[in-house]
Amino acid sequence: MCVNAQAPGPVELLRQAQFATLDLMRRAQGHALGAIGFDPAELTHRRLASGDHWRLRDYGGPGPETSLLIIAAPIKRPYIWDLGPNVSAIRYCLSHGVRVYLVEWIAPTPSGGHVGLDECVRAISECVARIATEPKATKPFLIGHSLGGTLAAVFSACEPRAVRGLLLLGAPLCFQPMTNRFRDALVSMIPPDLSETDIIPGSLLSHASAFASPDTFVWSRLMDAAMSIGDLRALDVHARVERWALDEAPGEAGPSDCRMAVSGKPVLPRRSHRARSHDWPVMSRPPDTRGRQHGRRGCTARLD
């Protein structure tokens, strides 16, 4: 059980109640959007394996020759990958002959134990091992968005030979101070007395992100809504994404000193020019024994 060294005072209790209430209000707004037809329409899948804080989904596919393991973001629901019949990365991959799996994270609870990088990497390792037991299985490609991409990158750095390739979508890779203005602004807004094992509401991270980068988290969403008004299909996609954005889950605070280490060993670079230079999908194969990267930065890649 995760217990802080000191019992929270009245100010801390009030702050926790405030953001917990915001979480409830945001989820209520999401349910309202769902009630008028913008709920996700996810594909059926089977649970291939599970642990205390994760589940492995198997969406099937025509064959195991090419498989994709999606690492969902911990504080968001995984249905962003499968919003509906016309807006679904999972359906697109299945229609192109790719076997699709997805790691779904279970929201932490105070009595559920600490879930940090070590636990997440072990979970992904168990999922990859389970996929390997399927008939005619091949090494999967890993793909992740946001913090899900960070976890995919950490696992790939720890076990590079376990995967066939890595695809990252807007995934932060560098957490050292003074290397990224968004990172520095975000960290400065997080309460300094948060413990590494504190469970924090998703709305706290969302509000801090909006203040740290309003162009990304506020104005771009408003611009997208305005530009979608004349296109019913685009407006439908926008509303479904907004419904997903409001459906937040709590997460643990993580290390306050921005270390990115597994079992005490650093796994990601102190600086990452690639992560700061663009925000579109990047694919790279695991490094070989001489440390060279296969593939080119920003190259077009196929899953084959």
Side-chain angles (χ1 to χ4, degrees), residues 16-260:
Q16 292 177 2
Q18 174 189 5
F19 282 106
T21 302
L22 282 174
D23 266 6
L24 291 174
M25 293 175 61
R26 288 170 64 83
R27 282 197 291 269
Q29 293 172 357
H31 291 322
L33 283 173
I36 59 176
F38 297 113
D39 261 340
E42 295 186 85
L43 284 170
T44 57
H45 54 269
R46 65 175 177 133
R47 185 183 301 178
L48 195 60
S50 63
D52 292 337
H53 57 280
W54 58 273
R55 303 185 188 99
L56 176 61
R57 298 182 181 184
D58 178 14
Y59 289 88
E65 291 80 9
T66 302
S67 60
L68 179 69
L69 175 58
I70 299 172
I71 311 299
I75 65 168
K76 295 289 187 182
R77 310 298 179 183
Y79 60 79
I80 186 63
W81 297 92
D82 188 25
L83 287 173
N86 298 320
V87 190
S88 173
I90 291 176
R91 294 169 199 254
Y92 181 85
C93 291
L94 291 174
S95 68
H96 284 74
V98 178
R99 182 72 175 265
V100 180
Y101 305 90
L102 182 144
V103 179
E104 173 189 5
W105 304 105
I106 301 172
T109 60
S111 60
H114 173 57
V115 181
L117 274 180
D118 289 305
E119 290 76 17
C120 290
V121 169
R122 280 197 294 269
I124 297 174
S125 180
E126 289 184 42
C127 291
V128 171
R130 177 62 183 85
I131 292 171
T133 65
E134 291 290 284
K136 299 181 180 179
T138 59
K139 293 180 181 180
F141 287 91
L142 259 62
I143 184 172
H145 166 253
S146 188
L147 292 180
T150 305
L151 295 177
V154 170
F155 170 78
S156 298
C158 293
E159 300 186 32
R161 297 187 179 281
V163 298
R164 189 172 171 184
L166 174 65
L167 299 93
L168 303 179
L169 305 173
L173 298 180
C174 188
F175 297 88
Q176 294 298 320
M178 306 301 293
T179 58
N180 185 284
R181 285 182 296 177
F182 172 71
R183 175 262 167 214
D184 292 340
L186 182 62
V187 170
S188 68
M189 296 175 185
I190 300 298
D193 55 343
L194 277 179
S195 166
E196 180 175 336
T197 58
D198 276 347
I199 295 176
I200 57 176
S203 59
L204 172 58
L205 291 177
S206 294
H207 281 72
S209 298
F211 279 112
S213 182
D215 287 344
T216 301
F217 293 93
V218 179
W219 300 119
S220 64
R221 292 168 66 175
L222 293 176
M223 285 294 295
D224 184 74
M227 296 175 67
S228 301
I229 291 177
D231 186 332
L232 291 180
R233 185 176 183 277
L235 195 60
D236 178 80
V237 173
H238 176 83
R240 290 180 184 276
V241 173
E242 284 297 309
R243 193 262 182 272
W244 166 79
L246 292 167
D247 197 2
E248 293 170 321
E252 290 196 3
S256 59
D257 58 357
C258 299
R259 289 175 289 107
M260 189 56 65

